[in-house]
Every structure is written in structure tokens, then in C-alpha cells.
Amino acid sequence: MRLLRLAKIVSLSLRFGLDRVVLDADPSGRLVRWWGRLFFWRKFKEPRAVRLRRALETLGPIFIKFGQVLSTRRDLLPPDLADELALLQDRVPPFPTEQAIALLESFYQRPVNEVFRRFGHVPEASASVAQVHFAELPDGTEVAVKILRPGIEKIIEHDIDLLETGALLLEKIWAGSRRLKPREVVAEFSKHLRDELDLMREAANCAQLRRNFKNSPLLVVPEVYWDWCGPRVMVMEYMHGTPISHIPKLLEQKTDLKALSRAGVEIFFTQVFRDGFFHADMHPGNIFVDCKGRYVALDFGIMGALSDLDKDYLARNFLGFFKRDYRKVAQAHIDAGWVPAHTRVEEFESAIRSVCEPIFDRPLKDISFGKTLLRLFQTARRFEMEVQPQLVLLQKTLLNVEGLGRQLDPELDLWTTAKPFLERWMQEQVGWRALLREVKSEAPGWTSILPRLPRLAHQALTDRYAQRDALEGRINDIERRQRLTNRFIAALSALAAALLIFEAWRFFR
């Protein structure tokens, strides 16, 4: 079975010229010329990026998902490949409804019509690892039921094994491929994919994001119905809305597209800097707009998380760009530990300036925030920066947000929209606002400690006196033993002297 699958992959790779896609990365061009003579009959009219996308689509759902994840690694891929792979949509042929019902009945241990008042037999949406059906709970609540594809785990493990083998062989056969880090890319893909196979994890992500934006006028997140959820089944509130890519329908609903684009920027920066937890798969298929003009988030399989250090690093970088203070940007990298401490700030500052200055010669609305961040990462790699996975996800998400925003409002100036938010966030991290927040955070703990302070102080003093007495007793004991030892040594010395004198007297007698 594995050999047949491998044979199919090799056959399709040759058919779409994927070997040429890889060999094109050889700067000398010798491998391309040699390979071209070997397969002289092949002629390709389509660009390499298009051929790669079509090959992944032909190979099936797992390879489509692989292409989507691969498109996020713009730090490793040439721009043409990354842009084309980003076109891969999460839409694949659905699996039979009978299989979906069988899986549900196996999980619930009873017929579907006893679990749901109504269950839609036609899938609402179909993706690479799961599909969604409309249903109603017994109380009439409208829900979306997400179901993993039957046998998807075995298929995924099988194809991941083949991808890992292929990546290893590529590194062994062609040393030039190592800079593309094929094994690292496959490992990152397999991690994301295995996470998506646990729908309880996705449900938890959804619940957390919903908590973060409770009562928000900007973003709506579906409620999770935990009593109906499991590792292979997720049941959540059915969300009504218009896909954000359907601009004519949004205009028909009199949606303010300019306000919607600004709201998207605010939602993104709120997730990143307030919560440190963000939706990392914000392509148009996962974003709806409801009748009130609010964003509706869907599909929570891929989420990003940022530490306080990450957030501080990003904010300092963004504000440094706004003010064209490249030394601050360079120092932020060093302080965060993203580049080695021995890095010369002046050299790093100069490299960043060479990337950013040409950008600022253009109007701000024509500057891509996401691409600027990407160039920063690429420049930093020359200074031994290891790109952090959470920052790669962030950069990919920022590109999605920027693309959506400018699709809604071509005049969107993302820099100007984001700057007040970032400045306000930075002000809250230092000064009296930060002090008040820390006091508020620590106050509940203080209320439990304050009543015990006298007892704790008395106990500390008692322990201190007891420790002092014990220490003094130990010192006295040591001194007593030292005196005994000195007396014993003196007695031995006197005895030895007496014996020596006695032996001398006997000798000279």
C-alpha cells in the first residue's frame, strides 16, 4: 500500500514537474540543465508555483493542508511559491453522509435522531480533515456539527511518514536543500495537523477566544456545547452571516466596509497585545460578517500564543518602525534574545535601516505591514536569529488581516490604524497604569496575607531567635570539642617527649 502511494506521488511529481521546482533552487543551474537533458520530452507552460499548487490539489486533502502550512513559511520559500500556495482553499469533496452518521452513532451510542431534533444530511462545509453539518439540539438550538473524516488518522500518519522520508532523502541527495529545512517544515506541518485531529482541543480554543471577546461589539465567537463534544465530534452554535469575501452582498446589506476593515485591525491587535492568544488561520473562508456588521470567527484548529516577552518585543519593534528608530528595533531583538548577545548593535541597525528606508519613501497606505515584518525576520536570520514558530504564525496572520482589510478598503492605512493602539498598550506596560494593574492583580492575595502578618512576623522572629540559639549552641559545641582536641594533642605531645627523653637516657647510660 505504501509503495503504491509512493509510486503515485512520484508519478504526479514528474507529471507536474515538481522535480524542477526543487532543482530551480540550485543557484548554479547545473542540476537543472542535467535533469532537463534526462527528461528532454517534458515541456511546461505553467509557472512552477502553479504546477506545485495543482499537484498538491491532485494528491488530496493532506497534501492540500501541507501546502497551506507551507505557504506560511515565507521565511523559507520564494515569494512566488508562497503566494500561489496561499491560494489553496480549505474546500475538498465531502465524505458520504452515511459515514458521518455512523461515526456520530458510534460516539453517542444511540441513533442520530435521538441525539438531535434535526440533522442536515447535506454538508454545510467540507475541509481537509473534517466536514460540518447543520443540526438542531433537542431544545431547538441551531448548531454546527463538525465531524472528523473516517480513517483520517491513518491516512495522515501514512502521508506524514512519506513526507518525512522524502524530506530526509532530499537533504541526503542535495546539500543545497538544507537551507530550505525540509525536515523542519514537515515537522511543523505534522504538529499542526495532529493538533487539528483533536476536536476537543479546537473546542477549548473556541471557548477561550469567546471568553476573551465576551460582549464585544467587534467580534462574535460561537458557543461550544460540551455535552455533545468529543475528540472526533465538535458541536457549536450555528453562526449566521455572510462570508467576508462576498463584497457585493455586504454592500447590499449596507455594511460599512471602511469601519469593518478598521475593526479587523483592532481585533487582531487586541488578540495579540491584550490576550496573547490569536486566531492564526484567518483566511476569508473562516471569517463571516453578521447582520450587525460584526466579525464572526470560525475554525479554531490553529491558534497562536505569545508570552509577555513576545508582546514587548513586537510592540517595541512596531513603534520603532513608526518612528524610524532602527537602533531601538535592533536593541529589541537583542534584549528579547532573538539574536545572540554578542551581536553588534550598530551592524544590525544598519542592516535594518537598509530594509526599511526604501519603504518609507512611499505613502504609508502603500506599505505592507506584514511584508515589512517578513523582511525584518529575513534580515535577522543573517545575524543568527532562529525564527520562532509563534512569530511565523503571527506574521502569516498579519498578512491575512492586511489582505482582508485592503480587500474591504483599498485605502486602508494599517500603520496609522495600528499606531494609537500600540502606543496605548505600551503606556499601559509602564508608569502608573502598570502599577495600578499590578496592584489590582495582587490585591486578592494581599487580603489573605494581611490578617496573618502579625503571626507570620512573630513566627519569623521566633524562628530567627531559635536559629540564633541553635547556631550559638553549635559554635559552643565546636569550641568545646576544639579545646578537648587541643588538650588531647598536648597530652600526646608531652607523652611523646617523655618517651623520647627516656629512650635517650637509656642509650647514654
Side-chain angles (χ1 to χ4, degrees), residues 234-267:
M234 176 181 171
V235 178
M236 57 186 166
E237 180 183 0
Y238 185 85
M239 307 303 290
H240 296 274
T242 303
I244 199 166
S245 57
H246 293 184
I247 303 297
K249 190 170 182 181
L250 292 176
L251 290 172
E252 186 181 323
Q253 296 172 182
K254 298 183 179 179
T255 302
D256 186 340
L257 298 187
K258 290 182 180 293
L260 194 63
S261 66
R262 291 193 299 272
V265 176
E266 183 174 345
I267 289 168

PDB file of all heavy atoms in Angstrom, residues 234-267:
ATOM      1  N   MET A 234     -17.330  17.873  17.298  1.00  0.00           N
ATOM      2  CA  MET A 234     -17.437  19.168  17.975  1.00  0.00           C
ATOM      3  C   MET A 234     -18.778  19.788  17.602  1.00  0.00           C
ATOM      4  O   MET A 234     -19.122  19.896  16.420  1.00  0.00           O
ATOM      5  CB  MET A 234     -16.291  20.085  17.544  1.00  0.00           C
ATOM      6  CG  MET A 234     -16.367  21.494  18.125  1.00  0.00           C
ATOM      7  SD  MET A 234     -14.980  22.519  17.525  1.00  0.00           S
ATOM      8  CE  MET A 234     -15.463  24.137  18.129  1.00  0.00           C
ATOM      9  N   VAL A 235     -19.538  20.181  18.614  1.00  0.00           N
ATOM     10  CA  VAL A 235     -20.847  20.797  18.387  1.00  0.00           C
ATOM     11  C   VAL A 235     -20.798  22.216  18.952  1.00  0.00           C
ATOM     12  O   VAL A 235     -20.500  22.414  20.132  1.00  0.00           O
ATOM     13  CB  VAL A 235     -21.972  19.987  19.061  1.00  0.00           C
ATOM     14  CG1 VAL A 235     -23.323  20.676  18.854  1.00  0.00           C
ATOM     15  CG2 VAL A 235     -22.010  18.568  18.493  1.00  0.00           C
ATOM     16  N   MET A 236     -21.098  23.180  18.091  1.00  0.00           N
ATOM     17  CA  MET A 236     -21.046  24.587  18.499  1.00  0.00           C
ATOM     18  C   MET A 236     -22.232  25.336  17.910  1.00  0.00           C
ATOM     19  O   MET A 236     -22.938  24.837  17.023  1.00  0.00           O
ATOM     20  CB  MET A 236     -19.739  25.231  18.034  1.00  0.00           C
ATOM     21  CG  MET A 236     -19.502  25.149  16.551  1.00  0.00           C
ATOM     22  SD  MET A 236     -17.860  25.761  16.084  1.00  0.00           S
ATOM     23  CE  MET A 236     -17.742  25.137  14.393  1.00  0.00           C
ATOM     24  N   GLU A 237     -22.430  26.517  18.405  1.00  0.00           N
ATOM     25  CA  GLU A 237     -23.511  27.379  17.947  1.00  0.00           C
ATOM     26  C   GLU A 237     -23.402  27.629  16.443  1.00  0.00           C
ATOM     27  O   GLU A 237     -22.316  27.871  15.918  1.00  0.00           O
ATOM     28  CB  GLU A 237     -23.416  28.709  18.708  1.00  0.00           C
ATOM     29  CG  GLU A 237     -24.449  29.730  18.355  1.00  0.00           C
ATOM     30  CD  GLU A 237     -24.219  31.033  19.101  1.00  0.00           C
ATOM     31  OE1 GLU A 237     -23.249  31.118  19.893  1.00  0.00           O
ATOM     32  OE2 GLU A 237     -25.017  31.972  18.888  1.00  0.00           O
ATOM     33  N   TYR A 238     -24.539  27.533  15.768  1.00  0.00           N
ATOM     34  CA  TYR A 238     -24.558  27.805  14.327  1.00  0.00           C
ATOM     35  C   TYR A 238     -24.563  29.316  14.121  1.00  0.00           C
ATOM     36  O   TYR A 238     -25.400  30.029  14.667  1.00  0.00           O
ATOM     37  CB  TYR A 238     -25.790  27.179  13.679  1.00  0.00           C
ATOM     38  CG  TYR A 238     -25.823  27.323  12.171  1.00  0.00           C
ATOM     39  CD1 TYR A 238     -25.167  26.406  11.358  1.00  0.00           C
ATOM     40  CD2 TYR A 238     -26.491  28.388  11.568  1.00  0.00           C
ATOM     41  CE1 TYR A 238     -25.184  26.542   9.971  1.00  0.00           C
ATOM     42  CE2 TYR A 238     -26.511  28.533  10.187  1.00  0.00           C
ATOM     43  CZ  TYR A 238     -25.846  27.603   9.400  1.00  0.00           C
ATOM     44  OH  TYR A 238     -25.859  27.748   8.030  1.00  0.00           O
ATOM     45  N   MET A 239     -23.592  29.803  13.362  1.00  0.00           N
ATOM     46  CA  MET A 239     -23.436  31.237  13.174  1.00  0.00           C
ATOM     47  C   MET A 239     -23.965  31.661  11.809  1.00  0.00           C
ATOM     48  O   MET A 239     -23.551  31.131  10.776  1.00  0.00           O
ATOM     49  CB  MET A 239     -21.957  31.625  13.295  1.00  0.00           C
ATOM     50  CG  MET A 239     -21.284  31.153  14.579  1.00  0.00           C
ATOM     51  SD  MET A 239     -22.091  31.745  16.078  1.00  0.00           S
ATOM     52  CE  MET A 239     -21.704  33.487  16.037  1.00  0.00           C
ATOM     53  N   HIS A 240     -24.880  32.606  11.821  1.00  0.00           N
ATOM     54  CA  HIS A 240     -25.420  33.153  10.571  1.00  0.00           C
ATOM     55  C   HIS A 240     -24.565  34.350  10.148  1.00  0.00           C
ATOM     56  O   HIS A 240     -24.154  35.159  10.976  1.00  0.00           O
ATOM     57  CB  HIS A 240     -26.869  33.603  10.775  1.00  0.00           C
ATOM     58  CG  HIS A 240     -27.800  32.483  11.101  1.00  0.00           C
ATOM     59  ND1 HIS A 240     -28.408  31.711  10.137  1.00  0.00           N
ATOM     60  CD2 HIS A 240     -28.200  31.987  12.303  1.00  0.00           C
ATOM     61  CE1 HIS A 240     -29.167  30.792  10.728  1.00  0.00           C
ATOM     62  NE2 HIS A 240     -29.059  30.938  12.044  1.00  0.00           N
ATOM     63  N   GLY A 241     -24.303  34.433   8.875  1.00  0.00           N
ATOM     64  CA  GLY A 241     -23.506  35.551   8.391  1.00  0.00           C
ATOM     65  C   GLY A 241     -23.151  35.396   6.926  1.00  0.00           C
ATOM     66  O   GLY A 241     -23.466  34.385   6.284  1.00  0.00           O
ATOM     67  N   THR A 242     -22.459  36.398   6.415  1.00  0.00           N
ATOM     68  CA  THR A 242     -22.023  36.439   5.021  1.00  0.00           C
ATOM     69  C   THR A 242     -20.508  36.278   4.965  1.00  0.00           C
ATOM     70  O   THR A 242     -19.800  36.963   5.714  1.00  0.00           O
ATOM     71  CB  THR A 242     -22.413  37.784   4.382  1.00  0.00           C
ATOM     72  OG1 THR A 242     -23.831  37.975   4.494  1.00  0.00           O
ATOM     73  CG2 THR A 242     -21.996  37.837   2.918  1.00  0.00           C
ATOM     74  N   PRO A 243     -20.008  35.372   4.132  1.00  0.00           N
ATOM     75  CA  PRO A 243     -18.542  35.265   4.006  1.00  0.00           C
ATOM     76  C   PRO A 243     -17.936  36.622   3.673  1.00  0.00           C
ATOM     77  O   PRO A 243     -18.471  37.364   2.836  1.00  0.00           O
ATOM     78  CB  PRO A 243     -18.363  34.271   2.856  1.00  0.00           C
ATOM     79  CG  PRO A 243     -19.606  33.446   2.881  1.00  0.00           C
ATOM     80  CD  PRO A 243     -20.716  34.397   3.299  1.00  0.00           C
ATOM     81  N   ILE A 244     -16.838  36.952   4.319  1.00  0.00           N
ATOM     82  CA  ILE A 244     -16.266  38.286   4.179  1.00  0.00           C
ATOM     83  C   ILE A 244     -15.769  38.562   2.770  1.00  0.00           C
ATOM     84  O   ILE A 244     -15.608  39.718   2.367  1.00  0.00           O
ATOM     85  CB  ILE A 244     -15.126  38.490   5.208  1.00  0.00           C
ATOM     86  CG1 ILE A 244     -14.834  39.981   5.395  1.00  0.00           C
ATOM     87  CG2 ILE A 244     -13.885  37.709   4.807  1.00  0.00           C
ATOM     88  CD1 ILE A 244     -13.985  40.294   6.584  1.00  0.00           C
ATOM     89  N   SER A 245     -15.551  37.505   1.991  1.00  0.00           N
ATOM     90  CA  SER A 245     -15.091  37.696   0.611  1.00  0.00           C
ATOM     91  C   SER A 245     -16.228  38.082  -0.335  1.00  0.00           C
ATOM     92  O   SER A 245     -15.979  38.496  -1.472  1.00  0.00           O
ATOM     93  CB  SER A 245     -14.416  36.416   0.102  1.00  0.00           C
ATOM     94  OG  SER A 245     -15.298  35.311   0.204  1.00  0.00           O
ATOM     95  N   HIS A 246     -17.489  37.982   0.111  1.00  0.00           N
ATOM     96  CA  HIS A 246     -18.643  38.310  -0.739  1.00  0.00           C
ATOM     97  C   HIS A 246     -18.958  39.809  -0.616  1.00  0.00           C
ATOM     98  O   HIS A 246     -19.943  40.214   0.022  1.00  0.00           O
ATOM     99  CB  HIS A 246     -19.857  37.469  -0.346  1.00  0.00           C
ATOM    100  CG  HIS A 246     -19.690  36.007  -0.620  1.00  0.00           C
ATOM    101  ND1 HIS A 246     -20.698  35.075  -0.425  1.00  0.00           N
ATOM    102  CD2 HIS A 246     -18.624  35.304  -1.086  1.00  0.00           C
ATOM    103  CE1 HIS A 246     -20.244  33.881  -0.742  1.00  0.00           C
ATOM    104  NE2 HIS A 246     -18.997  33.982  -1.149  1.00  0.00           N
ATOM    105  N   ILE A 247     -18.117  40.622  -1.219  1.00  0.00           N
ATOM    106  CA  ILE A 247     -18.236  42.082  -1.082  1.00  0.00           C
ATOM    107  C   ILE A 247     -19.579  42.618  -1.600  1.00  0.00           C
ATOM    108  O   ILE A 247     -20.217  43.440  -0.930  1.00  0.00           O
ATOM    109  CB  ILE A 247     -17.068  42.791  -1.810  1.00  0.00           C
ATOM    110  CG1 ILE A 247     -15.720  42.290  -1.265  1.00  0.00           C
ATOM    111  CG2 ILE A 247     -17.184  44.302  -1.642  1.00  0.00           C
ATOM    112  CD1 ILE A 247     -15.475  42.587   0.177  1.00  0.00           C
ATOM    113  N   PRO A 248     -20.081  42.175  -2.792  1.00  0.00           N
ATOM    114  CA  PRO A 248     -21.367  42.702  -3.272  1.00  0.00           C
ATOM    115  C   PRO A 248     -22.509  42.470  -2.288  1.00  0.00           C
ATOM    116  O   PRO A 248     -23.345  43.360  -2.085  1.00  0.00           O
ATOM    117  CB  PRO A 248     -21.593  41.935  -4.588  1.00  0.00           C
ATOM    118  CG  PRO A 248     -20.221  41.555  -5.036  1.00  0.00           C
ATOM    119  CD  PRO A 248     -19.456  41.280  -3.786  1.00  0.00           C
ATOM    120  N   LYS A 249     -22.543  41.300  -1.656  1.00  0.00           N
ATOM    121  CA  LYS A 249     -23.617  41.024  -0.694  1.00  0.00           C
ATOM    122  C   LYS A 249     -23.479  41.892   0.552  1.00  0.00           C
ATOM    123  O   LYS A 249     -24.477  42.351   1.118  1.00  0.00           O
ATOM    124  CB  LYS A 249     -23.615  39.548  -0.321  1.00  0.00           C
ATOM    125  CG  LYS A 249     -24.849  39.132   0.475  1.00  0.00           C
ATOM    126  CD  LYS A 249     -24.961  37.625   0.620  1.00  0.00           C
ATOM    127  CE  LYS A 249     -26.230  37.253   1.388  1.00  0.00           C
ATOM    128  NZ  LYS A 249     -26.358  35.791   1.555  1.00  0.00           N
ATOM    129  N   LEU A 250     -22.229  42.135   0.979  1.00  0.00           N
ATOM    130  CA  LEU A 250     -22.015  43.006   2.132  1.00  0.00           C
ATOM    131  C   LEU A 250     -22.492  44.423   1.823  1.00  0.00           C
ATOM    132  O   LEU A 250     -23.093  45.087   2.678  1.00  0.00           O
ATOM    133  CB  LEU A 250     -20.535  43.017   2.517  1.00  0.00           C
ATOM    134  CG  LEU A 250     -19.958  41.719   3.097  1.00  0.00           C
ATOM    135  CD1 LEU A 250     -18.457  41.860   3.334  1.00  0.00           C
ATOM    136  CD2 LEU A 250     -20.664  41.352   4.404  1.00  0.00           C
ATOM    137  N   LEU A 251     -22.217  44.894   0.609  1.00  0.00           N
ATOM    138  CA  LEU A 251     -22.673  46.223   0.207  1.00  0.00           C
ATOM    139  C   LEU A 251     -24.195  46.265   0.137  1.00  0.00           C
ATOM    140  O   LEU A 251     -24.819  47.279   0.498  1.00  0.00           O
ATOM    141  CB  LEU A 251     -22.065  46.596  -1.147  1.00  0.00           C
ATOM    142  CG  LEU A 251     -20.553  46.866  -1.146  1.00  0.00           C
ATOM    143  CD1 LEU A 251     -20.033  47.034  -2.576  1.00  0.00           C
ATOM    144  CD2 LEU A 251     -20.232  48.106  -0.308  1.00  0.00           C
ATOM    145  N   GLU A 252     -24.792  45.165  -0.314  1.00  0.00           N
ATOM    146  CA  GLU A 252     -26.255  45.072  -0.381  1.00  0.00           C
ATOM    147  C   GLU A 252     -26.871  45.179   1.011  1.00  0.00           C
ATOM    148  O   GLU A 252     -27.953  45.740   1.187  1.00  0.00           O
ATOM    149  CB  GLU A 252     -26.636  43.739  -1.041  1.00  0.00           C
ATOM    150  CG  GLU A 252     -28.116  43.572  -1.298  1.00  0.00           C
ATOM    151  CD  GLU A 252     -28.418  42.220  -1.922  1.00  0.00           C
ATOM    152  OE1 GLU A 252     -27.610  41.745  -2.747  1.00  0.00           O
ATOM    153  OE2 GLU A 252     -29.466  41.641  -1.575  1.00  0.00           O
ATOM    154  N   GLN A 253     -26.149  44.645   2.019  1.00  0.00           N
ATOM    155  CA  GLN A 253     -26.616  44.718   3.408  1.00  0.00           C
ATOM    156  C   GLN A 253     -26.283  46.061   4.055  1.00  0.00           C
ATOM    157  O   GLN A 253     -26.529  46.268   5.239  1.00  0.00           O
ATOM    158  CB  GLN A 253     -25.967  43.597   4.234  1.00  0.00           C
ATOM    159  CG  GLN A 253     -26.379  42.214   3.784  1.00  0.00           C
ATOM    160  CD  GLN A 253     -25.587  41.127   4.487  1.00  0.00           C
ATOM    161  OE1 GLN A 253     -25.751  39.946   4.228  1.00  0.00           O
ATOM    162  NE2 GLN A 253     -24.691  41.502   5.388  1.00  0.00           N
ATOM    163  N   LYS A 254     -25.678  46.987   3.268  1.00  0.00           N
ATOM    164  CA  LYS A 254     -25.280  48.317   3.734  1.00  0.00           C
ATOM    165  C   LYS A 254     -24.256  48.232   4.866  1.00  0.00           C
ATOM    166  O   LYS A 254     -24.290  49.021   5.817  1.00  0.00           O
ATOM    167  CB  LYS A 254     -26.511  49.110   4.177  1.00  0.00           C
ATOM    168  CG  LYS A 254     -27.509  49.359   3.053  1.00  0.00           C
ATOM    169  CD  LYS A 254     -28.682  50.192   3.498  1.00  0.00           C
ATOM    170  CE  LYS A 254     -29.639  50.440   2.337  1.00  0.00           C
ATOM    171  NZ  LYS A 254     -30.833  51.243   2.738  1.00  0.00           N
ATOM    172  N   THR A 255     -23.326  47.281   4.731  1.00  0.00           N
ATOM    173  CA  THR A 255     -22.236  47.154   5.694  1.00  0.00           C
ATOM    174  C   THR A 255     -21.199  48.222   5.412  1.00  0.00           C
ATOM    175  O   THR A 255     -20.813  48.449   4.255  1.00  0.00           O
ATOM    176  CB  THR A 255     -21.580  45.764   5.591  1.00  0.00           C
ATOM    177  OG1 THR A 255     -22.574  44.758   5.806  1.00  0.00           O
ATOM    178  CG2 THR A 255     -20.475  45.599   6.628  1.00  0.00           C
ATOM    179  N   ASP A 256     -20.735  48.901   6.442  1.00  0.00           N
ATOM    180  CA  ASP A 256     -19.700  49.929   6.317  1.00  0.00           C
ATOM    181  C   ASP A 256     -18.348  49.213   6.180  1.00  0.00           C
ATOM    182  O   ASP A 256     -17.764  48.774   7.168  1.00  0.00           O
ATOM    183  CB  ASP A 256     -19.705  50.828   7.549  1.00  0.00           C
ATOM    184  CG  ASP A 256     -18.752  52.018   7.419  1.00  0.00           C
ATOM    185  OD1 ASP A 256     -17.831  51.945   6.578  1.00  0.00           O
ATOM    186  OD2 ASP A 256     -18.900  52.994   8.172  1.00  0.00           O
ATOM    187  N   LEU A 257     -17.856  49.111   4.952  1.00  0.00           N
ATOM    188  CA  LEU A 257     -16.638  48.342   4.706  1.00  0.00           C
ATOM    189  C   LEU A 257     -15.408  49.001   5.314  1.00  0.00           C
ATOM    190  O   LEU A 257     -14.485  48.317   5.769  1.00  0.00           O
ATOM    191  CB  LEU A 257     -16.439  48.141   3.199  1.00  0.00           C
ATOM    192  CG  LEU A 257     -17.535  47.344   2.469  1.00  0.00           C
ATOM    193  CD1 LEU A 257     -17.118  47.082   1.025  1.00  0.00           C
ATOM    194  CD2 LEU A 257     -17.819  46.025   3.170  1.00  0.00           C
ATOM    195  N   LYS A 258     -15.363  50.331   5.324  1.00  0.00           N
ATOM    196  CA  LYS A 258     -14.217  51.025   5.919  1.00  0.00           C
ATOM    197  C   LYS A 258     -14.152  50.751   7.424  1.00  0.00           C
ATOM    198  O   LYS A 258     -13.076  50.463   7.972  1.00  0.00           O
ATOM    199  CB  LYS A 258     -14.290  52.533   5.642  1.00  0.00           C
ATOM    200  CG  LYS A 258     -14.059  52.919   4.193  1.00  0.00           C
ATOM    201  CD  LYS A 258     -14.092  54.434   4.030  1.00  0.00           C
ATOM    202  CE  LYS A 258     -13.858  54.842   2.570  1.00  0.00           C
ATOM    203  NZ  LYS A 258     -12.479  54.519   2.127  1.00  0.00           N
ATOM    204  N   ALA A 259     -15.307  50.836   8.082  1.00  0.00           N
ATOM    205  CA  ALA A 259     -15.348  50.552   9.524  1.00  0.00           C
ATOM    206  C   ALA A 259     -15.009  49.094   9.786  1.00  0.00           C
ATOM    207  O   ALA A 259     -14.335  48.759  10.763  1.00  0.00           O
ATOM    208  CB  ALA A 259     -16.727  50.892  10.084  1.00  0.00           C
ATOM    209  N   LEU A 260     -15.464  48.216   8.883  1.00  0.00           N
ATOM    210  CA  LEU A 260     -15.189  46.784   9.040  1.00  0.00           C
ATOM    211  C   LEU A 260     -13.694  46.502   8.921  1.00  0.00           C
ATOM    212  O   LEU A 260     -13.136  45.696   9.684  1.00  0.00           O
ATOM    213  CB  LEU A 260     -15.964  46.003   7.976  1.00  0.00           C
ATOM    214  CG  LEU A 260     -16.080  44.488   8.173  1.00  0.00           C
ATOM    215  CD1 LEU A 260     -16.856  44.162   9.436  1.00  0.00           C
ATOM    216  CD2 LEU A 260     -16.751  43.848   6.954  1.00  0.00           C
ATOM    217  N   SER A 261     -13.028  47.175   7.993  1.00  0.00           N
ATOM    218  CA  SER A 261     -11.590  46.955   7.824  1.00  0.00           C
ATOM    219  C   SER A 261     -10.817  47.448   9.044  1.00  0.00           C
ATOM    220  O   SER A 261      -9.880  46.795   9.502  1.00  0.00           O
ATOM    221  CB  SER A 261     -11.085  47.648   6.550  1.00  0.00           C
ATOM    222  OG  SER A 261     -11.186  49.057   6.670  1.00  0.00           O
ATOM    223  N   ARG A 262     -11.220  48.606   9.602  1.00  0.00           N
ATOM    224  CA  ARG A 262     -10.551  49.120  10.809  1.00  0.00           C
ATOM    225  C   ARG A 262     -10.806  48.199  12.002  1.00  0.00           C
ATOM    226  O   ARG A 262      -9.920  47.980  12.829  1.00  0.00           O
ATOM    227  CB  ARG A 262     -11.031  50.537  11.110  1.00  0.00           C
ATOM    228  CG  ARG A 262     -10.564  51.593  10.103  1.00  0.00           C
ATOM    229  CD  ARG A 262     -10.806  52.989  10.630  1.00  0.00           C
ATOM    230  NE  ARG A 262     -12.213  53.250  10.873  1.00  0.00           N
ATOM    231  CZ  ARG A 262     -13.060  53.723   9.965  1.00  0.00           C
ATOM    232  NH1 ARG A 262     -12.627  53.991   8.738  1.00  0.00           N
ATOM    233  NH2 ARG A 262     -14.332  53.940  10.262  1.00  0.00           N
ATOM    234  N   ALA A 263     -12.025  47.661  12.070  1.00  0.00           N
ATOM    235  CA  ALA A 263     -12.361  46.738  13.163  1.00  0.00           C
ATOM    236  C   ALA A 263     -11.499  45.487  13.094  1.00  0.00           C
ATOM    237  O   ALA A 263     -11.077  44.946  14.128  1.00  0.00           O
ATOM    238  CB  ALA A 263     -13.836  46.367  13.107  1.00  0.00           C
ATOM    239  N   GLY A 264     -11.209  45.009  11.888  1.00  0.00           N
ATOM    240  CA  GLY A 264     -10.360  43.829  11.734  1.00  0.00           C
ATOM    241  C   GLY A 264      -8.970  44.058  12.296  1.00  0.00           C
ATOM    242  O   GLY A 264      -8.394  43.182  12.961  1.00  0.00           O
ATOM    243  N   VAL A 265      -8.433  45.262  12.055  1.00  0.00           N
ATOM    244  CA  VAL A 265      -7.108  45.607  12.592  1.00  0.00           C
ATOM    245  C   VAL A 265      -7.158  45.647  14.114  1.00  0.00           C
ATOM    246  O   VAL A 265      -6.275  45.110  14.803  1.00  0.00           O
ATOM    247  CB  VAL A 265      -6.633  46.960  12.029  1.00  0.00           C
ATOM    248  CG1 VAL A 265      -5.307  47.365  12.669  1.00  0.00           C
ATOM    249  CG2 VAL A 265      -6.500  46.889  10.509  1.00  0.00           C
ATOM    250  N   GLU A 266      -8.195  46.265  14.672  1.00  0.00           N
ATOM    251  CA  GLU A 266      -8.310  46.364  16.134  1.00  0.00           C
ATOM    252  C   GLU A 266      -8.466  44.982  16.763  1.00  0.00           C
ATOM    253  O   GLU A 266      -7.869  44.694  17.819  1.00  0.00           O
ATOM    254  CB  GLU A 266      -9.496  47.255  16.513  1.00  0.00           C
ATOM    255  CG  GLU A 266      -9.610  47.455  18.019  1.00  0.00           C
ATOM    256  CD  GLU A 266     -10.682  48.453  18.406  1.00  0.00           C
ATOM    257  OE1 GLU A 266     -11.147  49.202  17.526  1.00  0.00           O
ATOM    258  OE2 GLU A 266     -11.049  48.472  19.603  1.00  0.00           O
ATOM    259  N   ILE A 267      -9.247  44.108  16.138  1.00  0.00           N
ATOM    260  CA  ILE A 267      -9.426  42.743  16.663  1.00  0.00           C
ATOM    261  C   ILE A 267      -8.087  42.015  16.701  1.00  0.00           C
ATOM    262  O   ILE A 267      -7.748  41.354  17.692  1.00  0.00           O
ATOM    263  CB  ILE A 267     -10.441  41.966  15.797  1.00  0.00           C
ATOM    264  CG1 ILE A 267     -11.855  42.512  16.013  1.00  0.00           C
ATOM    265  CG2 ILE A 267     -10.404  40.467  16.126  1.00  0.00           C
ATOM    266  CD1 ILE A 267     -12.862  42.003  15.002  1.00  0.00           C
TER     267      ILE A 267
END
